[in-house]
Every structure is written in structure tokens, then in C-alpha cells.
Amino acid sequence: MGLPALEFSDCCLDSPHFRETLKSHEAELDKTNKFIKELIKDGKSLISALKNLSSAKRKFADSLNEFKFQCIGDAETDDEMCIARSLQEFATVLRNLEDERIRMIENASEVLITPLEKFRKEQIGAAKEAKKKYDKETEKYCGVLEKHLNLSSKKKESQLQEADSQVDLVRQHFYEVSLEYVFKVQEVQERKMFEFVEPLLAFLQGLFTFYHHGYELAKDFGDFKTQLTISIQNTRNRFEGTRSEVESLMKKMKENPLEHKTISPYTMEGYLYVQEKRHFGTSWVKHYCTYQRDSKQITMVPFDQKSGGKGGEDESVILKSCTRRKTDSIEKRFCFDVEAVDRPGVITMQALSEEDRRLWMEAMDGREPVYNSNKDSQSEGTAQLDSIGFSIIRKCIHAVETRGINEQGLYRIVGVNSRVQKLLSVLMDPKTASEAETDICAEWEIKTITSALKTYLRMLPGPLMMYQFQRSFIKAAKLENQESRVSEIHSLVHRLPEKNRQMLQLLMNHLANVANNHKQNLMTVANLGVVFGPTLLRPQEETVAAIMDIKFQNIVIEILIENHEKIFNTVPDMPLTNAQLHLSRKKSSDSKPPSCSERPLTLFHTMQSAEKQEQRNSIINSSLESVVSSNANSILNSSSSLQPNMNSSDPDLDVLKPTRPNSLGRQL
């Protein structure tokens, strides 16, 4: 199991779970830093100590063999597994050279030592500096907050308002520093996959030339070297696209954090100060509290953010009643009393603000809840999987295959926004839709037609492969065996509603035709997966974890293209009965979000959102520049030449963000 993703939405809550997750990332960075130091030390010893080469080489190999990569997420792609396995492969090669003699390696320091030192100082060092700043702001925020909450309610209203404003500023600054630190930690974790291994690969390539049997060894190592080089480049490309997505999400969280809260299993959660009676009086102890409305259970975890550790044992009680504490009955502000079924007496709690107390009160006293008032804000448009929708897709496909199948950068080069919207308006006109299938005039450019096709697919009320199956498709792509992946995806495709499956088959047959002409249009199956993965399998909720799964979305599309004849023209190995299939599709059509063929939409926001998605794909595609070895140059270098026309899209467009009802109980 790899490291869990650090969600930006958790930065605001700053829960114990978030702190524990952050600690695991910090521990991994410390381990990597120590390992790089040791590796640099061993590398210098290997270069300078020719007489002790054999022992130094074995130690170097042992260090490589013992280190294990930890990726973000619960599964690895084939490229990541290849990179993770590379250290053990390097160790095997070095052991085979144990008895050979070598001479001083020229420029070895620049090849190996300098890049590793640069990565350790610039990347890991920057993360450590960010941690110092984060710890300092944590202490500052907690100190200001405690001081603020200890203010007497009898002070002048103007003084209290000024104090509230000051706390809000400190809280906002602490939140921004927390977001930046989480972003930096995850950036370094991703960078190490290629910036760490690449110098080792270059160093080994230099070593081969100084061995007596270096030529024969290099030939044996050539296949794996080529595979690893391609894997490194693929991982780098995915990192560039993922980094832009994560950075975009971080900026959105800074601008409007309320719109990006994750769904919580609790009705309400956050920090509260609980009054505890002592022999010498009373004290207020900070707790992280959660409340589940269905079971009426309140859980209190004593936790100090400054020290990062628990202050005692967890306590759970069953809520009996909750009463607002009058201001004149207590010195503290924002207080309320809780009575428990299984605990005598009254528990007095202090919220962090008036708004925070209101949310806790509404969650506990059964009044009309505000925490669940968010509604599905999904854009609505006229895009449907009806006869008009199929006609539009067929017209676009026919136009592409008859006069643009060999155009370079097909589906990656973006059409002009205004032209794409105009073409969609024409195609979606019922009068136009009833005309012949081939009725797209030659005046429309191919890039406009391909952009219109992708945009229409994004305008559907849900992705073509449906939200309820999204996790299942991703899980199938994470299977280790390729045959198992194909079999599982085969089964899932036949669980889709009939119209979704028909449209998907129409599209995959077309993309297979595009890939068959990749020598002319330079669009390989992998490139098509990058373009259509986020469109056909977009997640319902935009999170860091969802962004990390983009690489598996691409793999699903690649499998569908490469195996389209088997998947769509044959039934799965264990097909469902007609009754089961009918019931499954009926449930799928009745579930939320509804199937693409049901819910009527309007074109108001959808076309703009589709162009936002188009720009996101363009950003991801622009990172595909190849530096692979000679065996991979012909394909990857061709891909790198395809740069999307960023001037053709509105610069103010943002990433398409499908939403889902959130709980307002998750507070900031």
C-alpha cells in the first residue's frame, strides 16, 4: 500500500488524521533524503577507491536493492512498477561486475553526484524549509486563537470585532501556508520517481564503457534500459500533467474553499474546547470532535496541534440534548451545553466562532439542517444519447475519417472556441440533425470537428462510461495481469446501459482507425488514451486522489481501443442473464447521477465547461515531449511535436469540475 494522497480540503480542518498522513509523507521524505546522502557517499567512494572497488560496488548494490519506492495511491502503473523495479535491476548488474576492474570514470561526478545533490538540496531542502514555515504558522495560529477565545465577552463590541478580524487574517494565512506545504510535499514525492532514478541510469551507462565485457553487458541490459527510459519519460509526462491539475486545484481551494469540501462520513466535525473540572478550578482542553447524526454519537479526541500529539484517551457519548449557552452565564464566548445519555452532568463546549457554534447547534438539535443544503450544481444542456446525439457523433466521425484521418495531431490540436460552439449549435439544431449523416461542410476545419466531438461528449449529464462504474474501471486498470484487465473491462462495458455501450463502441471503432494511421497522424493508442481518458472517465469529485488516477483512466481507454473487437463484439466469459442484464441497466438508469439518455439539459453552462475541459487536455498534452533512447525516439519524438493551439481557447477558461452534494458540516 502506497502513501495516501494529501487532500487540500483537509488543510482547513487540520484533523489528527490529516496530521498523521502528513507525518507519513514527511517520514518518506526524510528516508529518501538519508538514502540520497548515503548513495552520494557510496558513489564518491566508487569513483575514487579503485582498490576497494569490489566491496564498495557491493555496498552500493545492496543499498539500491533495499530501497523501495512508495507511490501516492493504492496501485502503480506498469511504468511505475518498472521504475520501482529498476533499483533492483541496477543492483543485479553491479553484482555481475563484482570481479571486474575499472579505471577512473571521467565526469562521473557531474553525471551522478551533482544531480542527486541538486535534487536533495533544491527539492527536499525546499520541502524542509516549507515545513519550518508550516510549523511556525501552526504555533502562531494556535497561540492567537487561544488568546482570542480567552477574551472576555464583556469587552467592547468594537474590540471584539477587531479581534475577530485579526484571527480571521491569521487563520487565512495559516490555511494558505498549509496548502502550499502540502503541495510542495506531494511535488517532491512525485519528482523523485524520475529525478532520482535518471542520474543512476546515466551513471550506469557510463560505467559500462570502462568494463572489459562492457559491450556484451550493455547489449544484455539494452532492452530493460529502453523500457525503463520510456517508463521514466511516461512518468515525467504524467507528472507534468498531474502537477498542473493539482496546482489548479490548490488555487481553487485558496479562492473558494467552501466549494471544494470533501464528503465526510460525519454530520459535523472540527475542533472544540471542552470545559473540564479540576481540583483547583476548571480548564479548557482542546478536542477534535465528530458527531454522527444518525447514531447521535459524539466522539472527542484530545489533540494539541502545536505538539502534534494526543493529550489523553478518546471519549464517545450519546447525545441527549444540546442547548446554547447564554452569553451572560459564562466568561467564554461561543459556548453551548451538551447533555449525554451515558454520562451524568453537562458538558460545556466552546466553538471557534459564532458561525461554528451555529453549525454545531444545527447539527445536534434536530432543527432544519444547513450542512446538507448543497444541491447538485451540475450544468445542464441539451446533450443527450438520443438519435440527434448519435447523428452528431457519426457526422463528426465520418468527416474525420473521409478527409482528416492523416492530419497530424488529430484530436490533440484544439479548435477555436467560437468556431466549435458555432458548429455544435448547427449540429444540435433539430432541423440540421435530420439531414444526411455526411452533412458537415468542408468549410469546417478538422480540428474544429474533433473539438466539437469531444465537447459534445463532455456536455452529457454524466461521462459516457458513467460515474457509478468509474471506480470499477479504475480498479480494473490497476490489476497486475493484462489479461485480467481486459477481462474485467470487458465485463464492465457490458454492464453499461445500451445507449452508452453503443456510443462507446462507435467511438472506440473510430479511435482504433485513427491509431492504425499513427504513422501519418502521429496519434498512437497511448496519445489517444491521454486525450479521451479524462473525457470518458471523468470523476464525479475533483480531488488530488482523482487527479492521481488520471493515468489509470488513460490505460482503460488504451485497452478499449486495442481490444475493441473482442470487448464489443463478444459477450464476457460469465455473461449476465437477460433478466439480470435488464435489472442491472434499469438500476443504472434509475441511480444518481441519471444516465445520459434521461435527464434534459440546457446548453447554457455546458459548452463553456466543455471548453474548460478542452484546455485541461491541452495542458496535459503539451507536456508530452520525448527524450527517450533511439528505440523509442520514432514514436515519442513524433508525439512531442504535437503542441496544442493554446491561443484558440479562452485564457480565462478553467477546468471542468463535476460536483456532488457536499456536507456543510465540514467546516473551514
Side-chain angles (χ1 to χ4, degrees):
M1 183 64 68
L3 295 172
L6 290 167
E7 297 294 348
F8 289 129
S9 58
D10 289 338
C11 292
C12 179
L13 287 175
D14 199 17
S15 67
H17 173 71
F18 168 73
R19 289 281 180 156
E20 290 297 324
T21 303
L22 189 58
K23 278 186 177 181
S24 67
H25 280 261
E26 292 169 350
E28 175 63 16
L29 287 182
D30 288 339
K31 184 173 70 172
T32 302
N33 186 42
K34 292 177 182 178
F35 178 74
I36 291 177
K37 287 182 179 180
E38 188 68 20
L39 197 60
I40 291 173
K41 178 182 177 182
D42 294 341
K44 290 180 179 179
S45 176
L46 182 62
I47 295 170
S48 61
L50 293 177
K51 293 182 180 180
N52 298 320
L53 175 62
S54 180
S55 60
K57 181 176 59 177
R58 181 169 293 278
K59 183 180 178 182
F60 187 69
D62 290 342
S63 296
L64 293 176
N65 192 52
E66 291 172 2
F67 184 77
K68 307 294 182 184
F69 277 113
Q70 292 289 337
C71 68
I72 297 177
D74 57 359
E76 298 175 334
T77 63
D78 292 341
D79 292 325
E80 289 170 339
M81 287 188 286
C82 178
I83 292 176
R85 192 176 73 250
S86 64
L87 298 185
Q88 284 68 43
E89 294 288 340
F90 296 155
T92 301
V93 171
L94 287 175
R95 289 193 188 99
N96 292 336
L97 295 173
E98 181 180 356
D99 297 326
E100 299 294 334
R101 300 182 63 182
I102 65 171
R103 61 176 180 171
M104 184 67 70
I105 303 173
E106 298 178 354
N107 299 324
S109 179
E110 288 74 13
V111 173
L112 176 66
I113 307 301
T114 302
L116 292 180
E117 287 181 337
K118 181 179 179 181
F119 175 77
R120 187 178 68 83
K121 292 179 181 178
E122 294 183 1
Q123 298 300 327
I124 299 181
K128 288 186 176 182
E129 290 298 321
K131 173 177 172 51
K132 293 180 181 178
K133 183 178 180 181
Y134 175 69
D135 291 340
K136 181 179 179 181
E137 290 300 324
T138 299
E139 185 174 359
K140 178 180 177 182
Y141 165 67
C142 292
V144 171
L145 182 62
E146 291 179 358
K147 181 178 178 182
H148 175 67
L149 294 176
N150 285 324
L151 286 176
S152 172
S153 59
K154 297 180 179 181
K155 287 185 175 292
K156 294 182 179 179
E157 184 64 25
S158 60
Q159 291 177 329
L160 294 177
Q161 290 179 356
E162 182 179 356
D164 289 346
S165 299
Q166 182 182 3
V167 169
D168 288 340
L169 290 175
V170 174
R171 181 186 296 113
Q172 179 64 24
H173 184 63
F174 168 67
Y175 180 50
E176 292 178 359
V177 170
S178 178
L179 287 173
E180 292 170 357
Y181 177 50
V182 167
F183 174 74
K184 186 61 182 177
V185 168
Q186 297 200 113
E187 178 186 14
V188 176
Q189 295 281 29
E190 287 285 288
R191 279 183 178 274
K192 73 179 182 182
M193 293 294 286
F194 52 86
E195 290 195 0
F196 184 23
V197 176
E198 208 166 25
L200 291 170
L201 179 62
F203 176 69
L204 280 180
Q205 184 61 35
L207 281 177
F208 293 148
T209 61
F210 298 100
Y211 287 95
H212 179 67
H213 299 291
Y215 175 73
E216 290 78 6
L217 182 62
K219 279 181 58 178
D220 295 338
F221 189 72
D223 291 341
F224 180 77
K225 184 193 73 172
T226 300
Q227 180 187 3
L228 178 59
T229 305
I230 295 174
S231 296
I232 290 173
Q233 183 58 33
N234 289 341
T235 306
R236 184 190 295 273
N237 293 337
R238 293 190 186 105
F239 164 76
E240 295 296 339
T242 302
R243 184 184 186 279
S244 63
E245 292 281 337
V246 175
E247 186 174 17
S248 174
L249 179 58
M250 182 186 70
K251 290 179 180 178
K252 291 179 184 178
M253 294 295 297
K254 285 184 177 182
E255 294 171 359
N256 197 345
L258 287 174
E259 290 187 359
H260 296 82
K261 294 180 296 184
T262 57
I263 294 177
S264 171
Y266 303 108
T267 306
M268 187 66 183
E269 61 180 316
Y271 282 101
L272 292 171
Y273 283 82
V274 179
Q275 187 182 48
E276 296 185 357
K277 295 182 179 180
R278 309 290 188 187
H279 294 293
F280 52 85
T282 60
S283 64
W284 294 85
V285 180
K286 195 173 188 179
H287 289 70
Y288 190 83
C289 301
T290 59
Y291 175 67
Q292 180 57 259
R293 190 164 181 262
D294 293 337
S295 61
K296 292 186 176 296
Q297 184 178 39
I298 305 173
T299 301
M300 297 175 286
V301 181
F303 189 82
D304 184 7
Q305 292 167 281
K306 291 184 289 186
S307 65
K310 287 186 177 181
E313 297 296 326
D314 300 358
E315 182 180 2
S316 295
V317 296
I318 303 301
L319 177 67
K320 180 179 180 181
S321 66
C322 177
T323 307
R324 185 187 300 274
R325 190 68 178 260
K326 293 183 179 180
T327 304
D328 56 1
S329 66
I330 193 170
E331 283 288 325
K332 300 282 187 178
R333 305 170 68 198
F334 319 134
C335 293
F336 59 95
D337 293 334
V338 170
E339 287 186 279
V341 175
D342 48 353
R343 173 174 166 173
V346 174
I347 305 173
T348 301
M349 296 181 173
Q350 182 184 28
L352 304 183
S353 64
E354 184 63 39
E355 174 67 14
D356 188 33
R357 178 170 66 172
R358 182 181 67 82
L359 292 174
W360 280 103
M361 293 289 297
E362 290 181 350
M364 291 183 177
D365 66 6
R367 288 176 287 183
E368 185 66 20
V370 176
Y371 51 83
N372 199 29
S373 63
N374 279 355
K375 296 182 179 179
D376 188 353
S377 60
Q378 185 176 356
S379 300
E380 296 189 332
T382 57
Q384 299 181 51
L385 286 181
D386 53 9
S387 59
I388 294 179
F390 276 87
S391 174
I392 291 172
I393 298 301
R394 288 193 181 100
K395 288 179 181 180
C396 293
I397 289 176
H398 184 272
V400 171
E401 293 190 347
T402 54
R403 56 188 177 92
I405 195 68
N406 293 326
E407 186 165 317
Q408 291 189 357
L410 193 64
Y411 285 108
R412 280 188 54 193
I413 298 179
V414 183
V416 178
N417 181 28
S418 59
R419 295 278 293 169
V420 173
Q421 292 189 18
K422 184 176 180 181
L423 175 58
L424 277 174
S425 299
V426 172
L427 293 175
M428 296 173 72
D429 188 338
K431 298 180 181 179
T432 306
S434 63
E435 298 177 3
E437 296 292 338
T438 59
D439 189 31
I440 293 185
C441 301
E443 66 179 78
W444 297 102
E445 296 178 297
I446 292 299
K447 64 181 181 181
T448 303
I449 297 174
T450 56
S451 294
L453 184 148
K454 292 184 291 182
T455 302
Y456 189 85
L457 292 174
R458 297 187 197 106
M459 289 166 57
L460 296 171
L464 194 59
M465 298 171 73
M466 307 193 69
Y467 289 127
Q468 53 264 50
F469 294 113
Q470 200 259 358
R471 293 306 309 167
S472 298
F473 278 110
I474 294 299
K475 185 178 180 180
K478 294 178 179 180
L479 295 175
E480 295 184 3
N481 184 273
Q482 179 68 11
E483 184 177 347
S484 300
R485 296 178 189 173
V486 176
S487 177
E488 184 66 21
I489 291 175
H490 189 186
S491 176
L492 288 170
V493 166
H494 283 264
R495 292 173 59 191
L496 293 173
E498 186 69 23
K499 290 185 178 181
N500 293 61
R501 184 162 54 86
Q502 290 176 355
M503 178 67 79
L504 188 62
Q505 180 178 5
L506 180 66
L507 184 62
M508 290 303 114
N509 290 340
H510 168 60
L511 295 184
N513 192 15
V514 173
N516 290 337
N517 293 271
H518 71 271
K519 292 184 178 180
Q520 291 78 32
N521 57 39
L522 306 181
M523 292 302 294
T524 62
V525 172
N527 288 340
L528 291 171
V530 171
V531 173
F532 281 90
T535 297
L536 302 179
L537 269 175
R538 68 179 185 268
Q540 192 166 6
E541 198 174 21
E542 188 178 13
T543 63
V544 174
I547 294 173
M548 295 300 172
D549 278 341
I550 289 177
K551 53 195 175 187
F552 295 105
Q553 296 174 7
N554 303 344
I555 292 174
V556 173
I557 304 305
E558 292 175 24
I559 292 174
L560 288 174
I561 296 174
E562 292 175 339
N563 302 273
H564 67 283
E565 292 185 358
K566 174 184 177 181
I567 290 176
F568 293 102
N569 297 331
T570 64
V571 294
D573 293 338
M574 297 180 64
L576 298 172
T577 64
N578 291 335
Q580 290 173 326
L581 187 61
H582 175 75
L583 180 60
S584 174
R585 289 175 180 167
K586 185 176 186 304
K587 288 182 178 180
S588 297
S589 63
D590 293 339
S591 61
K592 294 298 181 179
S595 68
C596 301
S597 60
E598 287 189 352
R599 195 164 80 180
L601 302 176
T602 58
L603 191 58
F604 182 64
H605 292 298
T606 320
M607 295 182 66
Q608 182 181 3
S609 299
E611 289 303 321
K612 297 177 181 179
Q613 183 74 7
E614 189 73 44
Q615 184 177 4
R616 181 176 76 166
N617 285 353
S618 299
I619 295 173
I620 296 175
N621 293 334
S622 66
S623 67
L624 295 173
E625 296 182 359
S626 172
V627 291
V628 299
S629 62
S630 59
N631 290 339
N633 276 338
S634 60
I635 294 177
L636 294 180
N637 281 339
S638 299
S639 299
S640 66
S641 64
L642 305 177
Q643 297 297 330
N645 181 10
M646 297 305 294
N647 294 328
S648 62
S649 298
D650 189 341
D652 294 330
L653 293 180
D654 201 352
V655 177
L656 177 63
K657 179 181 69 60
T659 59
R660 182 165 68 179
N662 277 340
S663 170
L664 287 181
R666 290 293 297 270
Q667 57 174 323
L668 297 179

